[in-house]
Amino acid sequence: MNSAAQPTTPFAETMAETDPARIHRLFEGQQPKALALRGSSAAERIAKLKRLRELMFEKREAIHAACHADFAKPAAEVEVTEILPVVAEAHHAMRKLKSWMKPKRKRPTLLMFGTSAEVRTEPRGVCLIISPWNYPINLSLGPLVSAIAAGNTVILKPSEMTPHCAAFLQEFLAELFDEDEVAVVQGAVQTSQTLLELPFDHIFFTGSPAVGRIVMGAAAKHLTSVTLELGGKSPVIVDRSAKIKTAATTLIWGKFANNGQTCIAPDYVYVHEAIRDEFIAACREALDALYGPREKLAENDDYCRIVNAKHYERVRGLLDDAIERGAKLPVGTVPANDDRFLAPTLLTQVNEDARIMEEEIFGPLLPILSYTDIEQPIASINARPKPLALYVYATDNDVIETVLSRTSAGGSCVNQAMMHFLHGQLPFGGVNNSGIGNSHGHYGYMAFSHERSVLRDRFSLAFLFRPPYNAFTRWFIRFAVRWLS
């Protein structure tokens, strides 16, 4: 779940950047702490995670207030999308951390007979987390849970576009950690540039592919490892065998939660021509059921707003361009104001050349296209960069397997949308343009860990591979190459 385009706001333009000298002091101050944390026990790390989880519960009202101040997010949605993922992540790590930290014994190969081996996980060291604005609490603290579980120190830079949430995070984490272990820095581009000049041991970035390339380029200068959680246009295929009401209900929720500002939100839908009209009708019913009468939607507290005016104008521009190119609106209206309210909007007859079919939407607009042959949507999906998520609705298993086996995506759901993000046992991440590496659960722990191999020699035959090469050693080497490799 990440931000798409990264527009600035009036607040961001006047926001004080963190003094570069302070950033350098924080980075240098975390170096000795990172070395000390290499020897931290599972019990010590679990205690930190427990305090974080408990403080989340204590501060839930403050989290509600910060999210509402930044983009009018309803409290129930804050609970589901900001608080629940973090406390679930912490709880899962607390339960599993002892086993994650335990060295894993590895059986010797024939060639390594006479040795013993294991793989240990060790902290990467001083880590940088750059988090986005669309889920500012979740996507800051979720990676932090993994970093703390793995025994690292962290400098966190939250997004300047959600200033109330950023201020909350600074106060919240100062209550839990000293700055030599976890520090928060505020700012926009200048602060990010200063951070990216430093030789961190790992960078965890959530944001757009365009900015992800900048982060990866900066990391390459120091050979710093990265986890990049990016985005892309997440497609949906609704087969004629799908349960139409289920498909409409889950897609409408997945698309319009957080006002569509979700990186794994359904971005465009291919629906089989035979059920197209029925599907659109079901979407109308689902919208009414979730958000009430459309004419009163602007007054509905369960529907949040676009994060800022500039992002609103970007999404509005996508809508205007699509309409100019012939798109129709079976549901939705062209907004007549700029108060950051955009109604849930379905579009049909969308031109494939429209900007809305090229850019990640990141707003409450859902293009619906029809198809008659499954080869059509598969070809279209494969012609675009690999998405962060792909969804398929069908009861025909042949169709499901065809779609899954002939497309590529960071993750997928069958007859559901977005729920794979909450599954603690699944890796969450992208592929190529939509991301590098994974997070959540054990995968998040491993993202912030180095796997160190350790081999112990007991009575191996390694001496037979060394000079002087006599007749016997030459025979043994040929034997090993043929039979032991």
Side-chain angles (χ1 to χ4, degrees):
M1 293 187 176
N2 62 285
S3 57
Q6 298 285 330
T8 58
T9 66
F11 188 100
E13 291 167 3
T14 58
M15 189 175 193
E17 302 281 357
T18 300
D19 180 8
R22 179 173 182 269
I23 292 175
H24 283 266
R25 287 195 300 271
L26 289 171
F27 180 79
E28 292 166 4
Q30 289 195 358
Q31 302 286 336
K33 185 67 172 182
L35 292 175
L37 288 176
R38 289 183 184 177
S40 58
S41 67
E44 290 171 327
R45 299 180 193 181
I46 289 170
K48 296 172 188 176
L49 297 177
K50 184 177 181 180
R51 290 200 306 272
L52 186 151
R53 187 184 65 168
E54 290 174 347
L55 194 59
M56 287 283 287
F57 293 133
E58 291 178 24
K59 302 287 187 179
R60 70 196 319 160
E61 298 300 327
I63 297 173
H64 294 170
C67 290
H68 189 273
D70 281 331
F71 42 0
K73 197 167 184 176
E77 195 165 289
V78 173
E79 291 280 342
V80 173
T81 64
E82 301 282 6
I83 297 175
L84 173 61
V86 177
V87 297
E89 190 78 39
H91 180 71
H92 184 63
M94 289 161 58
R95 290 179 56 245
K96 297 291 186 179
L97 188 55
K98 287 183 180 179
S99 64
W100 293 348
M101 291 179 65
K102 187 177 181 180
K104 305 300 188 293
R105 296 291 299 272
K106 300 296 179 182
R107 293 175 60 86
T109 62
L110 287 174
L111 193 61
M112 290 293 103
F113 180 76
T115 67
S116 62
E118 65 184 22
V119 177
R120 297 184 173 204
T121 57
E122 60 185 32
R124 290 195 178 273
V126 182
C127 300
L128 171 64
I129 297 174
I130 301 177
S131 59
W133 55 263
N134 59 324
Y135 292 92
I137 306 300
N138 174 359
L139 298 181
S140 295
L141 298 182
L144 180 66
V145 166
S146 296
I148 295 303
N152 300 278
T153 67
V154 171
I155 295 178
L156 166 68
K157 196 204 87 67
S159 174
E160 70 280 6
M161 288 193 286
T162 43
H164 298 87
C165 288
F168 167 81
L169 287 166
Q170 185 149 18
E171 180 181 331
F172 176 82
L173 291 172
E175 193 168 334
L176 288 168
F177 300 99
D178 293 331
E179 285 192 330
D180 66 349
E181 185 167 359
V182 177
V184 177
V185 297
Q186 306 286 3
V189 175
Q190 180 183 314
T191 296
S192 295
Q193 290 173 342
T194 302
L195 289 165
L196 291 173
E197 290 170 358
L198 295 172
F200 283 93
D201 296 302
H202 188 72
I203 298 174
F204 192 107
F205 170 78
T206 306
S208 69
V211 181
R213 292 185 181 93
I214 295 172
V215 172
M216 192 170 182
K221 295 178 181 178
H222 303 291
L223 298 180
T224 296
S225 58
V226 296
T227 302
L228 304 178
E229 295 204 346
L230 307 177
K233 296 183 70 62
S234 297
V236 183
I237 295 177
V238 182
D239 180 59
R240 66 190 304 168
S241 69
K243 295 180 179 179
I244 296 175
K245 184 175 181 179
T246 298
T249 301
T250 57
L251 283 177
I252 290 300
W253 168 78
K255 177 61 184 182
F256 299 112
N258 207 41
N259 211 229
Q261 299 167 113
T262 306
C263 64
I264 54 172
D267 206 79
Y268 60 104
V269 180
Y270 280 103
V271 59
H272 196 283
E273 181 67 36
I275 61 168
R276 173 185 173 277
D277 292 344
E278 189 178 355
F279 174 75
I280 292 174
C283 287
R284 288 196 188 97
E285 292 178 7
L287 278 169
D288 290 342
L290 290 174
Y291 299 115
R294 287 188 287 279
E295 62 273 13
K296 295 184 178 181
L297 186 59
E299 305 166 17
N300 191 332
D301 291 337
D302 289 341
Y303 189 71
C304 81
R305 296 295 185 266
I306 299 295
V307 67
N308 58 42
K310 193 164 186 176
H311 187 52
Y312 169 90
E313 291 298 335
R314 188 191 72 84
V315 180
R316 169 68 186 268
L318 295 178
L319 177 59
D320 291 342
D321 176 76
I323 293 172
E324 288 173 7
R325 294 171 182 267
K328 305 301 180 185
L329 276 62
V331 174
T333 57
V334 178
N337 54 59
D338 59 356
D339 68 352
R340 297 185 297 136
F341 171 77
L342 280 174
T345 303
L346 308 183
L347 297 90
T348 59
Q349 300 181 40
V350 179
N351 191 311
E352 286 276 3
D353 293 331
R355 286 173 52 206
I356 201 170
M357 294 304 298
E358 298 296 330
E359 300 178 23
E360 187 176 3
I361 298 171
F362 234 69
L365 313 177
L366 183 62
I368 298 176
L369 304 95
S370 58
Y371 73 94
T372 55
D373 186 330
I374 195 65
E375 296 296 330
Q376 294 172 274
I378 288 176
S380 177
I381 291 166
N382 287 335
R384 292 185 168 91
K386 296 176 182 178
L388 187 55
L390 180 149
Y391 307 112
V392 55
Y393 287 83
T395 57
D396 185 332
N397 284 325
D398 289 339
V399 171
I400 294 169
E401 288 304 318
T402 296
V403 172
L404 294 178
S405 65
R406 294 182 54 196
T407 59
S408 179
S412 288
C413 291
V414 177
N415 297 322
Q416 187 53 268
M418 302 207 308
M419 292 298 288
H420 62 301
F421 181 88
L422 291 174
H423 198 306
Q425 301 280 22
L426 288 176
F428 181 82
V431 53
N432 297 131
N433 191 70
S434 56
I436 296 173
N438 290 307
S439 60
H440 296 185
H442 185 245
Y443 300 93
Y445 171 83
M446 295 307 300
F448 286 97
S449 300
H450 167 64
E451 292 180 276
R452 184 177 187 173
S453 60
V454 179
L455 181 140
R456 291 183 173 86
D457 195 318
R458 299 165 63 197
F459 48 85
S460 75
L461 301 177
F463 68 94
L464 291 174
F465 294 95
R466 298 192 293 264
Y469 297 122
N470 54 36
F472 177 76
T473 56
R474 288 195 297 272
W475 171 87
F476 180 80
I477 289 170
R478 289 194 298 270
F479 173 83
V481 170
R482 179 66 180 86
W483 299 106
L484 301 183
S485 60

